[in-house]
Amino acid sequence: MAFGPYQLQLLERRPELVSDWSKEIETILDALQGKRIITEEDLSRINGDSLGKRDKMRNLLDVLHGRGEDACSGFVAELKILACVKSEPPSANGSCFSKRAPCTMQSNAELRSGDTQVDKPDEINQGTGILDSMQEAESQLSPLKKHQEILANDYGKVVDYISTSRQSEDLEERYTDITVTRKESYAEQRQHEVTEVGNAFKKLEWESSGNLCEFRTIFRNLLQLDEGVTLLCGVAGSGKTTVTKKLIQEWAKDPQPAKIVFVFTFRELNLITDPKSLKELLSSHYSHLKPVLSQILTDPSQILLILDGLDEFRFPLVFEKTPKCTDPDIPQRVSEVVVNLLNRNLLPGLSVLVTSRPHAVCKIPQKHVGNFYKILGFSESQQKEYFRKSSPTPEAAEEIWGYISAHRPLFLMCHIPAFCWIAVTALREKVALKETRENLATVTEIYCRFLKAILVFHGDQKAGSHIQSLLAAPESLSSLRRHLKDLGALAFKGLIEKRFIFDQADLSSFSVDQGGLSCMFLVEILKEDQDRFTYERSYHFVHTSLQEFFAALYYVLESHTGRDPFSCLKPAPLPDPWGLVARAYRLLGVRKVLRKRVKDVFCWSHQLQSGHLDLFCRFLSGLLVPRTCRILEGIFSPRQIEATLCLQFLFRLLQKQLSSAALSPERLVNVCHCLYEAQDPAIRDRVGRLLERASQGEEERRPGDWTEMAFLLQITSALEELDLENRGLGPEGVRRLQPVLPFFKTLRFGQNPLGAEGAALLAEVLKSPDCKIERLWVVGTGLGSEGVAMLCEGLLKNSSVVDLRMAINNIGDEGAASLAEVLKRNKTLKDIRLRDNMITDRGAELLMQALQENSTLEDLWLYDNKISKNGVRVLKEFAKAREGLDIKICT
């Protein structure tokens, strides 16, 4: 919601108000309640439980800020009255709300009346002069300038969620660029969205420069051109809202903007249940624009409307059946307003930016979307920049980067900006960097350390120095176990029901308090219901992955007690005064019950095609490892750590699922992640077994085989050679392996049906700045002249390949011409083998011309081509004249 001038003044003057006016808090509260500026519920929240006057004043300012501009204006008016009737001397700091000398000419009642003209003495003029000047300046501001200032203040901060006071920082200081690409189309999501970012299971495409976009270009187009409907897609925590804030900041800086920006979140639109017109929505949301709103709406081309968070919209968008509406004054249901805006029935010429998570983009038919952008996340350099900005020292940033880059799964997760924040919080404390030598290898361990760092070093449990806090950590965490389990039960129920927004009833049903511990992990959303004079509160976890982590933590803790974790989804169970559950638990045995719970949830979750429980299963696997549980000693009792089920059972369960033909490729990949989180020591050996399986039979390999291989190869960083010769590897297999290919020194892909399509994919690998490939062998892969031309596009931008073997590919003279262009510019190739490729004298001549400019090639094999005897003689003479070059050819 946009802030008005009085709201901004209260924010800016908050310390002075608390310092100067806390003594008068009771008088102020009486006056505000009498004028219905605050309610009885507000008063109870302000007074709290035996709070001091300064804390009450802080709570009052929070309530007023949430109630909006009118409430803040009424508060300022009351301060002006009190400044006239109180006898305290003026404040020395000259605040615009400072108390002043008494007014002897008018009574308090007269001052409240609007019928009497007050002749204020100098002291009163002094006390209200700054405020009057502010009001006069506001009246002189153009509505657009005022709107820019309000939105700049509203969207210019980022919140520190791990601080109980929710301190904010300037966006400009914390903003890091994010990699984005333009897409032609989008499809329904069938896997967990986190897998879209980690290139171990779903490739982070090596995009061509034509598809990668700079945000400044996107911003400029949105703010200056008629872009129609633009859809910006990204996983949770990828930076969609931050990008929106950055766009607004850029717009607010423009002294003469071409458009006026309006912003709505779908969370806010969810709370609108009565029919309203578009004009009513805008005027209630941006009351300061009421005088000019009608004029603005006459020219929709000057408007950019931002709709943030489509995935959170709870109303269906029915494009086919929604009544057409072209009049912004006609009331409609809020979903119908949105549909008519996206259909361009309402305000044709309007530019709309919609942000969404991947699973919700299909709510908007593609024919209505003019531009579709996908946030890929942080590149490696952007990760380093973020760590530098977020770490206390450059040395700490380097140490954090060392941990992340040493473990590929962590590095891949750090493509998500929100995970970078979690990783920094987990690793920057001495508990992670200085006081332990444990090798942080899994994502679950990072989240465990994040939770521990928050509770031990940032919460109320902090006990002096780092050493003291660590020594007291088990006891501190033990005291919070019940609260964490309650929070986990809420998270688990929401995850099963695919809910990420909770109301007060949800929190109450699980005894989750709305402050203290919970406020460190839950974000509160306030929305005023002006008709009922109340607020509606809703909550969501700071990041969806934290909800999944808490859900897994709850499931493991509850399974340790013998209770059914799914009981939180059912009505309250009957009391068990005789302890029958505990007795059954003891009879069956701790490990047997735990195994049953684990087997049930894995078998059930991996049958789901949506994949929304994938990350939950990974966390669950990690939390069953004793070493990981010890990080959270206190939350897990020593008995529970020792009673953790035999890991061999977990390995057998997961490996059995991995061999199942019933699981989809996406679920197979997730089983690999679970094995990694469970720290299976035999996971490297599975690479060899998988390669053996891939070589058996002549039938086409399943795509899932290559996906599984991609994950296994990625976490097996010691391998330098990938030998897939004669394995039935086609373009789809190359596409699924593409993310891991740059990290091998040798790729042996001979005798596979790659074709031109596979060559194009390999070219993108060669263009990668991370490419370490030195030997590329693609003998007998059906490249043809077209495939070689595509491969050469990659070689032109590559500086690592020294050995290229591409015999028996029928490249002809056209292919030789493409290679000649590479040789003119490439300075790393030393050995090229082109046996049996239908090259004639013309192709040989082109290669010789290129080699006159190339001084690095040492070996060129041209056996079994269509070169004449004269051509062979010329080639040999050329090789003798060119020092260091050996051309092998039949005589």
Side-chain angles (χ1 to χ4, degrees):
M1 181 180 292
F3 296 164
Y6 286 101
Q7 286 178 291
L8 296 176
Q9 283 291 316
L10 295 192
L11 285 173
E12 294 171 1
R13 301 291 184 173
R14 183 184 178 99
E16 300 168 32
L17 289 167
V18 173
S19 174
D20 294 350
W21 286 98
S22 293
K23 292 181 181 179
E24 310 297 336
I25 185 64
E26 301 300 336
T27 304
I28 294 172
L29 291 177
D30 289 342
L32 294 179
Q33 189 181 12
K35 297 183 72 173
R36 294 193 65 197
I37 294 175
I38 60 174
T39 65
E40 192 70 36
E41 181 185 355
D42 292 331
L43 193 62
S44 176
R45 178 182 174 186
I46 292 166
N47 287 324
D49 185 13
S50 303
L51 293 178
K53 292 184 177 182
R54 295 172 73 89
D55 286 333
K56 289 182 181 180
M57 176 59 77
R58 294 188 183 98
N59 287 347
L60 171 61
L61 293 174
D62 291 338
V63 168
L64 291 170
H65 181 73
R67 284 216 165 276
E69 180 71 358
D70 291 341
C72 295
S73 174
F75 171 72
V76 172
E78 287 302 317
L79 294 192
K80 291 171 66 177
I81 293 169
L82 284 173
C84 292
V85 299
K86 295 297 178 182
S87 58
E88 286 81 4
S91 169
N93 62 17
S95 166
C96 64
F97 300 124
S98 297
K99 297 174 285 186
R100 296 296 178 184
C103 173
T104 59
M105 299 182 65
Q106 301 289 341
S107 68
N108 187 28
E110 289 173 325
L111 283 168
R112 290 179 187 272
S113 170
D115 299 330
T116 305
Q117 178 67 34
V118 180
D119 296 325
K120 294 182 283 188
D122 291 341
E123 291 162 327
I124 302 305
N125 289 327
Q126 233 178 353
T128 60
I130 297 178
L131 181 59
D132 291 340
S133 299
M134 184 269 290
Q135 291 171 327
E136 181 180 354
E138 289 288 342
S139 65
Q140 294 174 355
L141 277 177
S142 71
L144 175 58
K145 290 298 180 185
K146 185 187 296 185
H147 185 61
Q148 283 184 293
E149 289 184 4
I150 290 172
L151 262 64
N153 282 280
D154 198 0
Y155 293 92
K157 301 288 184 180
V158 290
V159 178
D160 181 7
Y161 287 113
I162 65 174
S163 169
T164 53
S165 61
R166 288 288 194 264
Q167 296 175 350
S168 58
E169 301 177 66
D170 286 337
L171 175 66
E172 292 292 339
E173 295 179 3
R174 292 294 302 274
Y175 181 79
T176 302
D177 280 333
I178 304 171
T179 303
V180 65
T181 181
R182 182 168 182 165
K183 294 288 187 179
E184 296 299 325
S185 61
Y186 48 86
E188 183 178 358
Q189 182 187 10
R190 296 191 60 190
Q191 57 187 350
H192 194 286
E193 63 179 22
V194 171
T195 64
E196 293 200 355
V197 185
N199 60 12
F201 39 89
K202 175 71 174 178
K203 67 188 179 88
L204 177 62
E205 295 103 336
W206 301 112
E207 296 285 354
S208 65
S209 58
N211 287 336
L212 288 176
C213 305
E214 292 186 353
F215 273 119
R216 71 183 74 177
T217 303
I218 300 174
F219 292 170
R220 184 175 64 249
N221 293 343
L222 284 169
L223 295 173
Q224 295 181 6
L225 306 176
D226 177 11
E227 288 288 277
V229 177
T230 297
L231 183 55
L232 180 65
C233 169
V235 304
S238 62
K240 300 182 296 297
T241 299
T242 302
V243 167
T244 299
K245 290 182 177 181
K246 181 65 174 175
L247 186 152
I248 293 170
Q249 287 290 301
E250 294 298 317
W251 167 78
K253 291 177 184 177
D254 191 344
Q256 293 182 322
K259 294 185 180 182
I260 184 168
V261 174
F262 294 113
V263 187
F264 286 99
T265 68
F266 281 99
R267 289 176 185 168
E268 294 168 333
L269 297 180
N270 283 338
L271 301 175
I272 301 173
T273 55
D274 298 326
K276 290 185 181 292
S277 69
L278 175 61
K279 190 172 182 180
E280 285 178 307
L281 289 174
L282 292 171
S283 62
S284 62
H285 206 68
Y286 298 103
S287 57
H288 54 278
L289 290 176
K290 281 183 180 180
V292 295
L293 186 58
S294 296
Q295 179 183 352
I296 291 172
L297 296 181
T298 60
D299 185 6
S301 64
Q302 68 174 347
I303 300 173
L304 169 62
L305 175 63
I306 299 175
L307 300 174
D308 188 24
L310 173 64
D311 49 282
E312 297 175 348
F313 197 38
R314 63 187 179 96
F315 301 115
L317 299 178
V318 186
F319 281 79
E320 298 79 10
K321 298 181 180 180
T322 296
K324 182 178 180 179
C325 178
T326 60
D327 189 346
D329 289 309
I330 294 179
Q332 291 181 291
R333 290 193 293 267
V334 66
S335 60
E336 294 174 340
V337 173
V338 172
V339 168
N340 277 295
L341 283 168
L342 298 177
N343 265 335
R344 309 199 81 181
N345 294 327
L346 271 175
L347 305 183
L350 169 82
S351 293
V352 183
L353 171 63
V354 181
T355 69
S356 176
R357 287 167 60 183
H359 69 270
V361 295
C362 289
K363 289 183 178 181
I364 305 177
Q366 294 191 31
K367 64 181 180 180
H368 298 298
V369 177
N371 299 288
F372 177 52
Y373 297 100
K374 183 178 179 182
I375 295 177
L376 299 182
F378 280 160
S379 65
E380 181 174 330
S381 60
Q382 290 164 346
Q383 289 178 33
K384 290 180 179 179
E385 181 184 355
Y386 180 88
F387 293 144
R388 179 181 57 79
K389 290 182 177 180
S390 304
S391 301
T393 64
E395 292 75 19
E398 285 296 322
E399 196 159 0
I400 289 172
W401 172 247
Y403 275 116
I404 298 299
S405 59
H407 301 97
R408 297 292 302 169
L410 303 185
F411 170 78
L412 295 172
M413 285 287 285
C414 276
H415 286 305
I416 305 174
F419 183 77
C420 284
W421 167 68
I422 290 171
V424 167
T425 305
L427 296 175
R428 70 183 171 191
E429 301 293 348
K430 291 183 179 180
V431 62
L433 293 178
K434 303 296 183 185
E435 299 180 7
T436 178
R437 294 186 179 275
E438 290 184 10
N439 190 20
L440 301 181
T442 70
V443 175
T444 308
E445 286 181 317
I446 288 290
Y447 275 73
C448 287
R449 292 193 178 276
F450 170 79
L451 177 60
K452 186 173 184 177
I454 293 291
L455 297 177
V456 173
F457 297 109
H458 297 277
D460 296 334
Q461 307 298 314
K462 186 173 181 178
S465 68
H466 265 75
I467 295 177
Q468 292 171 329
S469 296
L470 285 173
L471 291 174
E475 183 178 352
S476 299
L477 295 178
S478 178
S479 67
L480 297 173
R481 184 190 300 133
R482 179 70 259 174
H483 301 292
L484 291 170
K485 190 186 287 188
D486 291 339
L487 195 59
L490 174 72
F492 183 70
K493 186 174 188 293
L495 187 61
I496 298 302
E497 297 175 353
K498 297 184 180 181
R499 292 177 55 212
F500 302 96
I501 305 293
F502 308 96
D503 56 28
Q504 288 178 286
D506 294 320
L507 269 63
S508 299
S509 65
F510 291 102
S511 303
V512 175
D513 61 341
Q514 298 172 22
L517 173 69
S518 300
C519 76
M520 305 182 80
F521 303 105
L522 293 177
V523 178
E524 182 183 63
I525 311 164
L526 288 176
K527 176 65 178 178
E528 183 179 8
D529 187 336
Q530 296 181 346
D531 298 330
R532 299 174 183 171
F533 200 53
T534 59
Y535 274 90
E536 294 187 29
R537 290 184 174 90
S538 57
Y539 305 84
H540 66 89
F541 282 84
V542 172
H543 187 246
T544 54
S545 64
L546 276 178
Q547 180 177 341
E548 292 163 294
F549 175 76
F550 271 108
L553 181 63
Y554 157 79
Y555 194 93
V556 174
L557 289 173
E558 198 73 350
S559 297
H560 273 299
T561 66
R563 290 188 291 269
D564 181 6
F566 285 92
S567 62
C568 70
L569 308 177
K570 308 168 186 175
L574 295 173
D576 184 19
W578 297 284
L580 296 178
V581 172
R583 291 182 184 181
Y585 182 48
R586 286 194 296 269
L587 288 173
L588 291 173
V590 176
R591 290 188 175 180
K592 190 170 183 180
V593 173
L594 191 56
R595 288 181 181 184
K596 183 180 185 305
R597 301 294 187 218
V598 171
K599 185 176 181 180
D600 288 347
V601 75
F602 273 116
C603 292
W604 176 65
S605 63
H606 284 147
Q607 292 173 1
L608 301 177
Q609 291 303 312
S610 65
H612 76 281
L613 293 180
D614 283 358
L615 191 57
F616 164 81
C617 288
R618 298 178 207 173
F619 286 137
L620 184 64
S621 302
L623 289 170
L624 294 171
V625 179
R627 166 183 152 179
T628 307
C629 291
R630 289 191 185 96
I631 298 173
L632 297 179
E633 183 180 355
I635 297 175
F636 289 99
S637 66
R639 180 186 62 82
Q640 289 173 333
I641 295 174
E642 294 302 322
T644 299
L645 80 170
C646 176
L647 284 178
Q648 292 304 317
F649 165 79
L650 181 60
F651 297 154
R652 287 195 299 271
L653 173 64
L654 293 174
Q655 289 168 3
K656 182 178 179 180
Q657 289 191 329
L658 198 58
S659 62
S660 171
L663 290 184
S664 67
E666 293 80 12
R667 301 293 77 72
L668 287 170
V669 167
N670 197 60
V671 174
C672 294
H673 279 281
C674 292
L675 280 168
Y676 182 84
E677 293 298 316
Q679 303 178 36
D680 180 5
I683 199 165
R684 288 173 183 261
D685 297 336
R686 291 189 54 77
V687 176
R689 294 199 296 271
L690 181 63
L691 295 179
E692 290 176 10
R693 189 178 77 185
S695 65
Q696 293 173 358
E698 298 298 328
E699 75 276 6
E700 185 178 355
R701 303 271 66 78
R702 296 179 304 143
D705 289 344
W706 305 116
T707 306
E708 179 187 350
M709 185 184 297
F711 173 80
L712 293 171
L713 291 172
Q714 188 149 30
I715 63 173
T716 312
S717 56
L719 292 179
E720 293 188 355
E721 178 176 316
L722 181 58
D723 184 358
L724 293 177
E725 288 192 348
N726 197 22
R727 297 294 200 265
L729 177 66
E732 177 63 15
V734 175
R735 186 185 70 81
R736 290 175 177 264
L737 291 170
Q738 195 177 22
V740 301
L741 299 183
F743 306 107
F744 291 92
K745 289 187 176 180
T746 301
L747 295 182
R748 300 179 59 157
F749 285 177
Q751 308 304 318
N752 286 302
L754 299 182
E757 186 180 353
L761 293 165
L762 285 175
E764 294 303 313
V765 175
L766 296 174
K767 292 177 186 177
S768 167
D770 298 319
C771 184
K772 297 179 174 62
I773 299 170
E774 296 179 2
R775 291 168 288 278
L776 178 61
W777 299 352
V778 285
V779 176
T781 52
L783 299 183
S785 59
E786 181 183 359
V788 170
M790 292 180 176
L791 195 64
C792 287
E793 290 181 10
L795 290 169
L796 284 169
K797 297 183 179 181
N798 178 271
S799 58
S800 64
V801 177
V802 297
D803 184 351
L804 177 63
R805 303 187 185 186
M806 49 193 311
I808 321 174
N809 272 295
N810 195 25
I811 70 172
D813 292 337
E814 290 185 24
S818 298
L819 282 170
E821 291 301 316
V822 171
L823 288 172
K824 290 177 182 178
R825 296 163 56 182
N826 184 282
K827 304 300 180 185
T828 54
L829 279 168
K830 294 183 178 180
D831 189 346
I832 299 180
R833 304 190 183 188
L834 301 175
R835 180 174 60 84
D836 196 3
N837 265 303
M838 307 298 288
I839 298 173
T840 69
D841 290 4
R842 177 174 171 270
E845 178 64 26
L846 292 172
L847 290 171
M848 284 189 290
Q849 291 175 5
L851 287 171
Q852 290 177 354
E853 303 178 30
N854 180 290
S855 60
T856 56
L857 192 71
E858 298 175 358
D859 292 285
L860 176 62
W861 289 28
L862 291 172
Y863 291 122
D864 301 326
N865 281 287
K866 301 296 182 180
I867 303 173
S868 67
K869 291 184 178 180
N870 183 59
V872 170
R873 180 181 58 78
V874 172
L875 280 168
K876 290 192 171 187
E877 291 177 355
F878 176 81
K880 291 179 182 178
R882 172 41 222 281
E883 184 178 356
L885 176 63
D886 183 11
I887 298 179
K888 299 186 183 297
I889 188 169
C890 297
T891 55

